[in-house]
Every structure is written in structure tokens, then in C-alpha cells.
Amino acid sequence: MFHTSHIELNETALRHNIRYLKKVISPNAKFSSVIKGNAYGHGIRHFVPLAERCGVRHFSVFSASEALETLESLTRASDIMIMGAIENDELEWAIVNQISFFVFELDRLECALKMAERLGIRTRIHVEVETGLNRTGLQGDQIDQAVDMILKSADHVVVEGVCTHYAGAESIQNYYRIQNQIKAFHELSARVERAGVDVRMKHTACSAAALVYPETIMDMVRFGIAHYGFWPSKETQMHYFLNRDPENGRNMDPLKRVISWKSRVMSVKDVRPGEFVGYGTSYQTTRARKIASVPVGYFNGFARNLSNLGHVLIRGRRAPVVG
Ligand SMILES: *Cc1c(COP(=O)(O)O)cnc(C)c1O
């Protein structure tokens, strides 16, 4: 009522995707549901309880503000991990709430260790190491300094993970770069462990990495796009279909779309051949057309670049967006 369109999340599809992806990663690796960017547009507050009903107990977010929204949405005792932005003045909140976070700045690590000591609560961290994405990640002797700081504060910290992120695992064009990153990661994580740090998990894989490079699965996979039912790229989809499990049926796509955006047709009219539809002259009928209007506009988030390009389903039948 009172909305011209709404979003539906399909719990059956999500359950199906998670079951399939868990099969891909074997029972020993943990499944983390990546819900950054407002759960890829699905809405953190709606998506989190749904994912928990489907068995998810670990969520990865980008920032402390997303972690707060996730914490408020939890219906189970799930873990929350911040992969990106956390400020020093947000550390106390994170530590008190047992939210883990990536560490890629020594200054942040120092603050976290001090805060944990002051609070008498262990801070749960993931040491992010630079392997070739060149975005965030400790590199060179920063890693040794971090290790020293961690060992000195061993009573105040739990190293939940050593981790990294790949530079485009969804495209075969990056194959060589990914191989180098995998090798670099093993060297760096071994360096941390050899120094005496007790590392709980090694995790590197996003959806594409887990689907295409099984050696990246390790102890946990951070699944984003795939668990929402989208292949990371045409290439990863091809990779699946070329190597598919024959038990899964010949042409069955194991990933099902979770989101759908629904509205109702508000008007239908017949338009004669040669007429223009909508603003300007971007669409002209070449024959008699039945034109339906749907009460959704750019203002609702329908992308302008889908003009004359997008499609809708009307009672399951595809119809092009015109004008
Ligand atoms: C976004 C992100 C992921 C998930 O990536 P998908 O390709 O959507 O599976 C995993 N790890 C990090 C660090 C990310 O930023």
C-alpha cells in the first residue's frame, strides 16, 4: 500500500545458492556473507535475518556504520567482520561488540591494542597483507612491525585471520596476476605464523576466486555477488558450465536471483505506427504497438541508461522498455 513498486527477496533462492556454494567450498571452510553496499542493494536490515534463516553465521561489511546496522539486524549470534573503513574513535565500539576488522594501518593496530588492554577485552583482528591489488594491506617490514606489536600484546588480541583480496579473479586475463598473489599470500602468511602468531584462519577468496581457483578457498570464503544469484562474470559462468557436476542436471543454473523489483501496470494504450513514445524522439513505433506504463522512474532508481535497453517481465513474459 502507498508504494508504486516494491522489492522482494526470495528466501528459497538464497537457501539454494548458499547450499550450492557451501558444496563448492567443502565442509571445512567457513561461509561469510558479504553485505557491503547495503547488501548489494538488497537491504542489510531485510537481508541479514533471511541469510541467518538460511544458516549464515558470519557477515562481512565494508565500514563501521554498516557493522552497526548489521548488529542491529542480527537474529542469531553471528559474527561481523569489517573489511574496510574503521576509524580510531570507532574501535572501542567494535571491540566491546566483538566485531572483528581488517588491519592495514599500523596506527590503527596500535590504537586497537591499547584500547583492548584498557577495556580488558581481546580485540579480534584480521591482518590484511598486500599481495598485488595495491589498495589496502600491510607490506614489507610493516608486516614484521605488526607481528611484533601483536606478540607484545598477545593477551589483548585474537588474530582471527590473515587475509588478502585478489585483483580481478573474474577474468582469465588476470590469471598470471592472481597466481602471483596466491604465491605471495602463502609466503606472507607463513612469515606471520613462523614469527609465532597464532592465526585462526587464512582467507582470500571472493566469489570468483572460490569458483575458479579452488586453492584460494582456504579456511573461509567471503561470498558476495554469487550468493545473491549472479555470476561474477560471463567467464566464471562458462567455467562452471564447462566443468559442471553432471548430477546437477545438464543446463541447470545453480545460482538463482534473490532480488526482484515489482510494480503494476498503471495504464495500457494502443499507439499507431510512426509515433514517438516518451520524451524526445528516442523511440519510434514501426508498427502498431501496445504500450504499458509502469509507475517507476529514474527517481526510484531505474537507471537512465536502461532507456530503450532494459526489459520487464509482465506475467512472466519479457517486454522491452521503450522511450
Ligand atoms: C566485495 C568483497 C568481497 C566479495 O566479492 P564478490 O566478488 O562480490 O564475491 C570479498 N572480499 C572483499 C575484501 C571485498 O571487498
Side-chain angles (χ1 to χ4, degrees), residues 5 15 21 34 36 38 67 103 109-110 113 140 159 191-192 196-197 201 205 241 249 253 255 272 285 314 316-317 320:
S5 69
R15 177 164 288 122
L21 295 169
V34 178
K36 67 186 178 201
N38 201 23
V103 162
L109 176 60
E110 191 186 334
L113 295 171
V159 179
R191 183 154 133 202
V192 173
V197 175
M201 289 190 287
F241 281 103
D253 191 330
L255 298 180
R272 290 184 323 232
T285 52
I314 298 183
R317 282 184 57 195

Side-chain angles (χ1 to χ4, degrees), residues 5-303:
S5 69
H6 69 275
I7 282 172
E8 273 177 32
L9 303 182
N10 182 335
E11 183 170 340
T12 310
L14 181 62
R15 177 164 288 122
H16 179 99
N17 296 342
I18 291 171
R19 191 182 303 135
Y20 167 68
L21 295 169
K22 279 189 171 169
K23 210 168 79 187
V24 169
I25 66 176
S26 94
N28 303 324
K30 199 190 263 287
F31 185 105
S32 181
S33 164
V34 178
I35 54 170
K36 67 186 178 201
N38 201 23
Y40 291 48
H42 294 63
I44 286 180
R45 283 175 201 280
H46 298 282
F47 188 79
V48 164
L50 204 69
E52 287 185 318
R53 282 207 293 279
C54 297
V56 170
R57 293 292 179 273
H58 193 284
F59 292 98
S60 297
V61 299
F62 173 68
S63 62
S65 76
E66 286 183 345
L68 172 61
E69 199 177 348
T70 304
L71 187 66
E72 288 172 353
S73 310
L74 293 185
T75 60
R76 310 283 158 87
S78 297
D79 284 321
I80 301 172
M81 174 173 88
I82 300 171
M83 304 186 294
I86 179 166
E87 298 292 334
N88 289 350
D89 61 6
E90 295 163 337
L91 288 169
E92 177 171 359
W93 173 81
I95 295 169
V96 167
N97 287 287
Q98 289 292 284
I99 288 163
S100 70
F101 47 90
F102 283 22
V103 162
F104 42 79
E105 290 292 329
L106 292 175
D107 162 65
R108 180 99 352 96
L109 176 60
E110 191 186 334
C111 281
L113 295 171
K114 275 201 194 123
M115 181 59 74
E117 182 169 2
R118 189 163 78 66
L119 294 168
I121 307 170
R122 283 172 180 248
T123 179
R124 299 163 65 175
I125 63 166
H126 300 258
V127 177
E128 188 187 7
V129 293
E130 176 55 60
T131 57
L133 177 64
N134 289 312
R135 212 161 60 178
T136 50
L138 298 169
Q139 55 194 15
D141 56 289
Q142 286 182 319
I143 296 173
D144 305 313
Q145 289 177 53
V147 163
D148 281 348
M149 291 159 70
I150 289 166
L151 291 174
K152 283 205 190 91
S153 298
D155 293 342
H156 310 299
V157 60
V158 174
V159 179
E160 281 207 347
V162 175
C163 56
T164 198
H165 190 46
Y166 295 110
E170 66 282 347
S171 173
I172 190 73
Q173 155 180 325
N174 302 320
Y175 179 85
Y176 183 67
R177 201 167 159 202
I178 302 297
Q179 292 303 316
N180 285 339
Q181 283 194 269
I182 296 171
K183 197 158 146 268
F185 179 78
H186 285 303
E187 284 165 14
L188 294 175
S189 61
R191 183 154 133 202
V192 173
E193 287 186 306
R194 263 201 317 273
V197 175
D198 177 19
V199 176
R200 301 260 166 101
M201 289 190 287
K202 279 170 246 174
H203 55 98
T204 65
C206 57
S207 302
L211 290 164
V212 180
Y213 304 95
E215 68 272 33
T216 64
I217 292 170
M218 304 182 200
D219 303 312
M220 181 165 78
V221 174
R222 307 180 304 256
F223 276 115
I225 193 75
H227 85 310
Y228 299 105
F230 295 84
W231 290 95
S233 63
K234 272 274 174 265
E235 281 177 44
T236 35
Q237 186 172 17
M238 289 289 287
H239 180 90
Y240 167 78
F241 281 103
L242 293 172
N243 300 282
R244 67 178 170 266
D245 176 0
E247 278 172 39
N248 197 42
R250 282 196 72 70
N251 290 307
M252 286 277 285
D253 191 330
L255 298 180
K256 315 264 180 236
R257 220 43 82 74
V258 172
I259 199 168
S260 45
W261 187 7
K262 297 192 175 173
S263 184
R264 290 163 184 271
V265 169
M266 68 174 184
S267 162
V268 179
K269 65 166 49 175
D270 292 308
V271 176
R272 290 184 323 232
E275 294 282 331
F276 294 105
V277 176
Y279 297 134
T281 53
S282 73
Y283 180 81
Q284 187 176 27
T285 52
T286 50
R287 57 183 172 85
R289 285 285 192 187
K290 205 176 266 305
I291 301 293
S293 292
V294 179
V296 168
Y298 306 135
F299 145 83
N300 300 102
F302 188 85

